[in-house]
Amino acid sequence: MPPRKREYDEDDVRIRPGKSSRPRTRTRPKHDDAVDALVITVDRGRYGCVREDTGDLDVITAMRARELGRKSVVVGDRVALVGDSSGDAGTLARIVRISERTSVLRRTADDDDTTPEGRLERVVVANADQLVIVSALSDPPPRTGFIDRCLVAAYDADVEPLLCLTKSDLAGPEQVLDYYAELDLPYVLVGPGSDLDELRDRLAGRISVMVGHSGVGKSTLVNRLVPDALRAVGVVSAIGKGRHTSTSAVALRLPSVGKGGSVDKAGPGKKAGKGKDPGWIVDTPGIRSFGLAHVSAESLLHGFPDLVEGTLEDQPNCGHTAADTGCTLDAWVADGRADERRLASYRRLLASRAGDGDWRDQPEADLK
């Protein structure tokens, strides 16, 4: 007997939904089992992370999950990891979430926003609490132009600045402090063999970014703060497979200081000491300056709080440059309400940002 022909009705009709109404066939996983971690190094698509909750500083190598899209991951980011987070050799975890950043310290490669290089904005570090500006008091002499730029970058990022004056055995800090007298800028003095108790107190419980020119003693200071710094950098940079370790930013855990000033060497693979959180420092050996093309002309003034009040009664649309006739900043300085060197520095940065000159060719403020 031949097979009976099937009869169809409306329940058998299948209509493919349009693109706009098509139901999703995939749901993103919630990753409830993800563990929290801090990114301490970034190198060519590989991220070195550590878990802050356990106090274990074994470095976990991770890669960014595809679902993050183009979201960047930088040193200082707090992330969620899935996969193998043991930190064992040859293991790899995935970064599936990036927590909202509390601060973003940025710089541009150059001040000229008319070129692609000048417009290139780089995130130095995320979630920093403090920018430590390391400057020598002598050999080389203080570079106030560099300090001013760092202050602008810090205020723009809502990060607290701290001036760290090294080589205090060669010169006194009076001239530098006088230059920044109106800012009430916090500072610490460091010399060869001096204790670092005050500096450690200011670093405790924070993520602090350290910047400074060559020769100011920043590397020496980092090695004094973290005795295992050289070994630590070598460990966390191993994920880069051979990249020179002195050119990439890296976060280093500060060791706990025991009784009598003894330092507990807490590098990767060791437990951090108990008690008060000693904090983290981010060493940035590859950063020598801060291009400010990403900072608006209005925000640039916030790096000079001693000049702000002098602009309150200024003429509309005044650019505060030397070419602006009638700018009230000139009278403000002439009346002794601000240092003329500060106004000169502010106007140099304005001119540099406008592409009217290279800030590196400008003389430093005279501290004599």
Side-chain angles (χ1 to χ4, degrees), residues 128-132 159-162 202-203 206-209:
D129 305 298
Q130 187 169 235
L131 179 63
V132 182
V159 172
E160 294 182 18
L162 173 65
R202 291 184 178 274
L203 298 176
R206 298 183 172 193
I207 295 180
S208 301
V209 185

Side-chain angles (χ1 to χ4, degrees), residues 10 35 80 89 91 139 160 196 208 210 212 233 279 309 312 360 366:
E10 62 272 14
V35 298
T91 60
D139 189 30
E160 294 182 18
L196 302 178
S208 301
M210 302 190 74
V233 171
E309 191 175 348
L312 297 182
R360 289 165 291 192
D366 185 4

